[in-house]
Each structure stands twice: as structure tokens, then as C-alpha cells.
Amino acid sequence: MPKEYIEGLARVEAREAKEAAELKVQKKVSKEKMEQQIADAVKLAVANSHTLQLASLDPDEQAETSSNIDVDWSKSSAQDITVFYPGTASIEWILGRKHGGKRAFSKGDRCVECHGEETDVIGQTIVSGESEKNLEPNVIPGKRGSIPVQIDATHDNEHLYLRFSWVDGEHAPVPFVEGGKMDPENPMKLAYMLATDDVEFADRAGCWGSCHADVDTMPFEPSGESLLNSDLAQRLNLNAGITKYIKESREKLEIKGRKKKPLGGWDKLKDDAEIQTVNDSGLFMDLIRYKSGTGEIEDGKILEKRDMHGGQGSEVEASLKAGTWSVVIKRKLRSDSPGDVNIEPGKVYNFGFAIHDDYSSARYHHVSLGYKLALDNPDAEINATQQ
């Protein structure tokens, strides 16, 4: 091998190593700055002994109310998780040919094991439209690719308490929506899901198992006419389009898309008796969602569709203070309400969450990978410690 080639290769490798080191330092500084901003905002909220409850449609018009969630957060454990912009990546895409990690995932590897340290890079690549896999055909200029979030988790004998904190972003008007806001009523929405390992894909992908290529705003979303004419219209309440669902509710999922078959399985619905059996077996995802503008708190489940009724309910206190969001969610550990997952000592649950920031809706959100939640278990990423 020529000497000049070897020397040139060495120079390239040295330059790339230097650039990688500089990028690592920049990311570390940025993360430390974000963490300090969150810490300062959290201290301020605790010192003031009250929470700003978002009761107004305008985020700048917030009323002060007393906090009803009495928690000693010094007894909680904290975890930093970066949610990222997923574009049109669905569970079918994860299981398909275009995903390089398909084989590892199929063998049982968790998404976080491969991608846990690069979610910010993935999100920016997708949101910018620069992904070679073309995962975002509708680019929103200026939309951020990821959001670093701090989650504090604790519990007492009856309740689980989760506090989500993150820095608010700049408004990025959506060019293909009149007024630039998809959901003008709600500056922010936050949702989290829980599931046992019995729900397929939940152990590896968290809530991604409910995200399909044929749901609302995704690439294989069926036409409005197809929905209206479908004999499933009444069973699935298709007025709002296809909502999230899990594989257990379908006869099959189309993964390969051969002969131009649409991916997903919205129209492969099992009969009511089979779905009831699945439900009775606890094969669903427990879902809690908070809407900041309307103040609505929803507690439901995902099985054959997203059903935001029937759960035990939760308490939520949210604030936007010093440029930082803080959302506290309190829910009972045990419930006999339909669609609720009971959280018991000694067990581990699958956890995922999503943030719709900047008035976004549908798939234009930031999502987490799948993580583990448990009580007093340091091996779980979300370890809710005893009060």
C-alpha cells in the first residue's frame, strides 16, 4: 500500500476523531446546560409551594392554584430520557427490510440497547428530511428533532407519582396547516403508556407496538371513502380516522408490502368475542394523556382502537415556568377499572411516553423508546422509589 495513501488515511482518521471528540464535548455542554435549567425551574416551583395550572387556551394566561399533589421529591429517583421525532417510522417499518436492526429486534433486542445514546441524532436526521430512509415527507422548518426530559419517579403505599420536566422550544409554524398550529387549543399534550410483557413488542419497543403504518396521517392511511364504506366503521368509530391499535386485536399485520399491499392491519380486525378474550387476558396498553390548553385528563387503553374512557382517572398538575415545563401525574397503583394496569412491587412494566409540543397533533410528536418501570428496583430505568 503506497506510503502517501497510508499517511492520507491517517490524517482523515485523525480529523474524524477530532471532530467526534468536539461533537461529544458540545453535546455534553448542551446537556449540562439543559439539566441545570430544569433543576433551577424545579427548585423554583418547590420553593413557591404552588403550581401553575394551565386552564387557559393561551399559555401566557395561567392561573395560580394550590398544589393538591403532596410529594417529597427529594425521595424520588431521576432519569434523563431524550424523546425524539419519529416521522413515519412505524412498527411495520421496524419489522421491515428498511430497518437495519430488524434482525436484532426480531431476536429480542430492545430498541434502547442500540439507539439509547443516539435519539437526538436520529430525531434531527428525520425532522430535517435528510434521512436516507425518507421518514419525513412533510418537513416543518425549525421544528426541533429531540427534547431532553427529566423524569422523577416515586410512590407511596397507594399512588405512583411521575414528574416530567423539559425546556420549552421556539414556535415553528407548520407550513401545511392554516395558522401554523395543528392543535391551536393545546400548546402541549403529554401521554404515557404502560403494558406488561404479555403484549407483543412492548418488552422491546414500549408503545411503538401501537404505532402502525395505516393510522391517521401515516403513509398507508386509508382514504376517507374507504373508511366510510367499511363494515368496521361502527366498531372502530372511524369518524376520527384509524387510531392506535395493537397486534393482538388483528388477524394479521402486513409487513412486507409485496405486490403493493398496504402495510398495517386496520381492516383485519378480530371479532368481538376474540377481542373480549384478549381484553380479559390483560393484553392492552394503559394510556394516560393530559392536554395543557383545555386541562383535560384522559385515562383509557389501546387494544383494537384508542379508547380514552373507562380508566380510574389521574390527577395532573402542570406548569410552564422560567421557560421549563413541569408535569406531575398522580395515579393509583391498583385499580379495578377497565384498561388499567396494576403496578405491584416486584414486577417490571413496559413504559413509553410522548410529548406533543408547539401545538402539534397526530404523528408530529416526540416519542420515547421503550423503557422499564418498577417500584424500588434500581435495574429499571424508571425506578419509582418509596416516599
Side-chain angles (χ1 to χ4, degrees):
M1 189 174 293
K3 179 181 178 181
E4 293 81 358
Y5 178 83
I6 295 175
E7 292 175 346
L9 184 61
R11 286 194 296 271
V12 171
E13 291 176 344
R15 184 174 70 250
E16 290 178 344
K18 181 182 178 182
E19 291 173 350
E22 291 174 348
L23 180 60
K24 185 176 181 179
V25 171
Q26 291 173 4
K27 290 176 66 175
K28 183 174 184 293
V29 171
S30 177
K31 182 178 180 181
E32 289 175 349
K33 182 179 179 181
M34 179 277 301
E35 289 175 346
Q36 186 59 53
Q37 190 171 349
I38 288 177
D40 291 343
V42 169
K43 288 179 182 177
L44 185 61
V46 172
N48 286 337
S49 72
H50 64 259
T51 297
L52 295 178
Q53 180 65 42
L54 300 183
S56 169
L57 301 185
D58 185 340
D60 295 324
E61 299 175 5
Q62 301 165 353
E64 295 186 4
T65 60
S66 298
S67 172
N68 294 317
I69 301 179
D70 185 17
V71 179
D72 182 355
W73 291 109
S74 68
K75 295 181 179 180
S76 66
S77 70
Q79 178 65 265
D80 295 326
I81 292 176
T82 297
V83 291
F84 66 102
Y85 187 77
T88 59
S90 62
I91 190 65
E92 288 82 15
W93 182 86
I94 291 173
L95 295 168
R97 299 188 302 273
K98 294 182 179 180
H99 178 216
K102 170 191 173 182
R103 179 173 297 180
F105 182 83
S106 299
K107 288 183 177 180
D109 286 4
R110 298 171 63 199
C111 299
V112 70
E113 292 172 346
C114 292
H115 303 300
E117 299 299 321
E118 59 182 13
T119 50
D120 56 340
V121 177
I122 294 173
Q124 186 56 39
T125 301
I126 295 174
V127 78
S128 64
E130 296 175 358
S131 169
E132 61 183 22
K133 298 177 176 64
N134 192 29
L135 290 173
E136 185 45 80
N138 303 325
V139 174
I140 301 173
K143 188 175 181 69
R144 54 180 168 173
S146 61
I147 305 175
V149 181
Q150 179 178 305
I151 301 179
D152 300 291
T154 185
H155 74 95
D156 54 27
N157 293 333
E158 295 184 10
H159 297 95
L160 170 71
Y161 305 88
L162 297 175
R163 180 172 65 184
F164 302 80
S165 305
W166 71 94
V167 176
D168 195 26
E170 296 292 328
H171 176 52
V174 180
F176 46 87
V177 171
E178 185 177 356
K181 298 176 180 179
M182 295 179 174
D183 183 2
E185 278 194 315
N186 296 294
M188 178 277 295
K189 298 186 289 287
L190 183 141
Y192 79 82
M193 294 188 222
L194 292 171
T196 66
D197 283 352
D198 295 327
V199 177
E200 191 165 1
F201 309 130
D203 61 332
R204 290 160 281 168
C207 56
W208 282 66
S210 67
C211 180
H212 296 273
D214 54 2
V215 300
D216 185 37
T217 72
M218 291 290 275
F220 293 91
E221 173 190 13
S223 67
E225 184 178 355
S226 298
L227 298 181
L228 289 175
N229 295 330
S230 171
D231 56 2
L232 302 177
Q234 188 171 6
R235 292 179 62 196
L236 293 177
N237 187 19
L238 298 177
N239 292 330
I242 305 297
T243 63
K244 292 180 180 293
Y245 59 88
I246 59 174
K247 182 181 178 182
E248 283 80 356
S249 67
R250 265 51 181 185
E251 297 291 350
K252 64 171 292 186
L253 295 180
E254 178 59 43
I255 303 296
K256 297 181 179 179
R258 290 176 177 170
K259 297 183 180 179
K260 297 184 178 181
K261 289 183 179 179
L263 301 184
W266 80 269
D267 57 348
K268 306 295 188 297
L269 187 65
K270 292 181 178 179
D271 63 40
D272 288 341
E274 289 177 291
I275 290 177
Q276 187 61 50
T277 298
V278 170
N279 181 76
D280 294 344
S281 301
L283 301 181
F284 50 76
M285 289 188 173
D286 188 352
L287 171 61
I288 294 174
R289 182 170 63 182
Y290 172 71
K291 299 178 179 180
S292 67
T294 62
E296 185 178 8
I297 304 167
E298 300 171 294
D299 187 350
K301 68 177 181 182
I302 296 175
L303 203 170
E304 79 278 17
K305 60 185 176 183
R306 182 177 59 209
D307 183 358
M308 299 309 297
H309 305 87
Q312 62 173 310
S314 297
E315 293 180 51
V316 176
E317 289 180 352
S319 67
L320 174 57
K321 204 167 190 179
T324 298
W325 282 101
S326 174
V327 179
V328 178
I329 302 180
K330 172 185 176 181
R331 62 152 279 175
K332 290 183 179 179
L333 296 173
R334 291 166 291 278
S335 168
D336 57 5
S337 297
D340 283 338
V341 171
N342 287 322
I343 303 174
E344 302 175 22
K347 293 187 178 181
V348 178
Y349 303 87
N350 299 296
F351 171 87
F353 71 104
I355 295 173
H356 281 90
D357 79 329
D358 194 16
Y359 306 92
S360 62
S361 66
R363 69 170 182 82
Y364 298 92
H365 55 359
H366 295 81
V367 299
S368 75
L369 298 174
Y371 295 89
K372 302 297 182 182
L373 180 146
L375 306 181
D376 303 301
N377 182 346
D379 292 330
E381 288 99 357
I382 310 299
N383 175 28
T385 46
Q386 176 75 47
Q387 281 286 292

